[in-house]
Amino acid sequence: PPWALIAIAVVAALLILTCCFCIIKKCCCKKKKNKKGKKGKDGFNMKNMQGEKHQDDDDDEGETGLTEEEKEEEEKEQEKLGKLQYSIDYDFENAKLTVGILQAADLISMDSGGTSDPYVKVLLLPEKKKKYDTKVHKKTLNPVFNETFVFKVPYEELGGKTLVMSVYDYDRFSKHDVIGEVKIPMNTIDLGRPIEEWKDLESADQEEPEKLGDICISLRYVPTAGKLTVCILEAKNLKKMDACGLSDPYVKIQLLQGGKRLKKKKTTVKKNTLNPYYNESFSFEIPLEQMQV
């Protein structure tokens, strides 16, 4: 009948519309989900990119960045200490090694006035007993020495020795500061001919000095009377010299001029102590013209 056909058509139309609606809804939901996912993914990527950028910056800083101490050490290493001109000549007949300290140039300033008081110490390692010092040149960074020193060494022993020329800054009232040094292993040079050359100074390995103790003194000079008074006050933390762990210390005072001893005096001996107290004074008659500044 006709009404049955109409009913079937209506149901079919409803089914078709329902299917279309479901498909459209599904597509819309999928688009929204994809959009959210993309947004989240983009945010995550941006965050990661920022994190990676930070990490890269940190890595770059770790690779190239230096701490203040490291920068100071690097600058110190790069700082030029000066250079030394020397000569070496070996006499095969007499087994004598002659070392000439000619001059130094462009030394670094060690004193507050912008200069130094340089001299050169020469020794042949591993032996340290025999060593030579040049004269001290006051207030200069380009001293001319022109001094020679002779070591008597058989040729067969030279290969195991190292010539060390250390430049120091002289200080009258404290420890002398090392400016730099030149080290030459004798087995690396040709002794068949005289050598004369310049070499840059390198940083010296400073050995920790042995602790021997401290001494307290006072000096007073009266120019009008030409009188120098030396007062030995006390000493502390002296080195143990006796088997019992103590010492019997005294102080010897010598007045030298040009390497020649003029006068000598000494304190009383203090028994069994490492911290002696003296408080003893000694006077020397020295004309003003003989006093060196």
Side-chain angles (χ1 to χ4, degrees), residues 216-236:
C216 181
I217 66 171
S218 70
L219 299 173
R220 185 184 178 212
Y221 182 71
V222 182
T224 54
K227 186 178 181 180
L228 174 68
T229 302
V230 181
C231 183
I232 307 299
L233 299 172
E234 61 179 323
K236 289 183 178 180

Side-chain angles (χ1 to χ4, degrees), residues 182-214:
V182 173
K183 280 187 176 180
I184 304 174
M186 299 307 293
N187 58 3
T188 63
I189 60 175
D190 179 14
L191 293 173
R193 57 180 181 82
I195 298 171
E196 184 177 313
E197 61 185 3
W198 285 91
K199 268 203 174 179
D200 290 332
L201 295 176
E202 298 179 352
S203 297
D205 300 327
Q206 298 205 22
E207 298 179 359
E208 187 68 23
E210 183 183 6
K211 299 294 183 182
L212 302 176
D214 304 299

Side-chain angles (χ1 to χ4, degrees), residues 13-293:
L14 287 174
L15 287 172
I16 292 170
L17 287 172
T18 303
C19 289
C20 289
F21 178 77
C22 289
I23 291 169
I24 291 169
K25 187 177 180 182
K26 188 175 181 182
C27 290
C28 290
C29 290
K30 191 174 181 181
K31 282 184 180 179
K32 285 182 182 179
K33 188 175 180 182
N34 288 340
K35 193 174 182 181
K36 286 181 181 179
K38 188 176 181 182
K39 187 177 179 182
K41 190 175 180 181
D42 290 342
F44 179 75
N45 286 344
M46 288 296 292
K47 189 175 180 181
N48 283 352
M49 286 173 68
Q50 289 176 355
E52 286 172 5
K53 188 176 180 182
H54 262 299
Q55 189 173 358
D56 290 340
D57 291 342
D58 291 341
D59 290 341
D60 290 340
E61 188 176 351
E63 288 176 3
T64 59
L66 296 173
T67 64
E68 291 298 325
E69 292 180 0
E70 289 172 340
K71 284 180 181 178
E72 287 178 5
E73 288 178 5
E74 189 175 8
E75 288 174 3
K76 199 170 183 181
E77 287 177 2
Q78 293 175 352
E79 185 182 16
K80 296 292 185 181
L81 303 174
K83 54 186 179 179
L84 180 69
Q85 186 186 29
Y86 60 89
S87 65
I88 300 174
D89 190 14
Y90 187 73
D91 183 353
F92 288 89
E93 291 183 6
N94 299 308
K96 288 182 179 180
L97 177 70
T98 302
V99 180
I101 303 299
L102 305 179
Q103 59 182 321
D106 304 325
L107 299 179
I108 62 170
S109 169
M110 301 295 286
D111 299 336
S112 57
T115 61
S116 295
D117 301 326
Y119 71 95
V120 182
K121 191 184 293 289
V122 185
L123 66 155
L124 203 57
L125 296 177
E127 297 176 6
K128 293 185 178 181
K129 291 183 179 179
K130 190 169 187 179
K131 52 189 174 183
Y132 299 100
D133 293 348
T134 67
K135 293 179 181 178
V136 177
H137 289 251
K138 297 283 187 177
K139 298 180 180 179
T140 178
L141 301 178
N142 300 282
V144 178
F145 299 103
N146 286 329
E147 298 184 44
T148 56
F149 308 100
V150 177
F151 297 88
K152 193 167 179 63
V153 188
Y155 179 73
E156 55 272 14
E157 296 180 10
L158 268 178
K161 297 188 181 296
T162 301
L163 178 64
V164 181
M165 296 167 284
S166 303
V167 183
Y168 283 83
D169 174 51
Y170 173 82
D171 195 320
R172 174 171 294 210
F173 301 110
S174 64
K175 184 183 175 183
H176 303 174
D177 298 316
V178 61
I179 296 175
E181 67 180 12
V182 173
K183 280 187 176 180
I184 304 174
M186 299 307 293
N187 58 3
T188 63
I189 60 175
D190 179 14
L191 293 173
R193 57 180 181 82
I195 298 171
E196 184 177 313
E197 61 185 3
W198 285 91
K199 268 203 174 179
D200 290 332
L201 295 176
E202 298 179 352
S203 297
D205 300 327
Q206 298 205 22
E207 298 179 359
E208 187 68 23
E210 183 183 6
K211 299 294 183 182
L212 302 176
D214 304 299
I215 187 169
C216 181
I217 66 171
S218 70
L219 299 173
R220 185 184 178 212
Y221 182 71
V222 182
T224 54
K227 186 178 181 180
L228 174 68
T229 302
V230 181
C231 183
I232 307 299
L233 299 172
E234 61 179 323
K236 289 183 178 180
N237 306 318
L238 298 181
K239 184 179 178 182
K240 302 170 184 177
M241 301 299 290
D242 298 340
C244 61
L246 297 173
S247 297
D248 301 327
Y250 69 93
V251 181
K252 184 184 288 185
I253 305 162
Q254 299 185 74
L255 184 64
L256 304 176
Q257 185 177 24
K260 184 179 180 182
R261 187 174 66 190
L262 301 179
K263 296 179 182 178
K264 67 174 182 178
K265 296 183 180 181
K266 66 179 182 178
T267 65
T268 56
V269 177
K270 303 296 180 179
K271 294 285 186 179
N272 300 323
T273 179
L274 300 179
N275 301 283
Y277 181 77
Y278 298 102
N279 197 23
E280 299 180 30
S281 297
F282 305 91
S283 297
F284 298 92
E285 300 292 334
I286 307 175
L288 180 59
E289 56 271 15
Q290 293 184 8
M291 291 291 293
Q292 296 182 2
V293 179

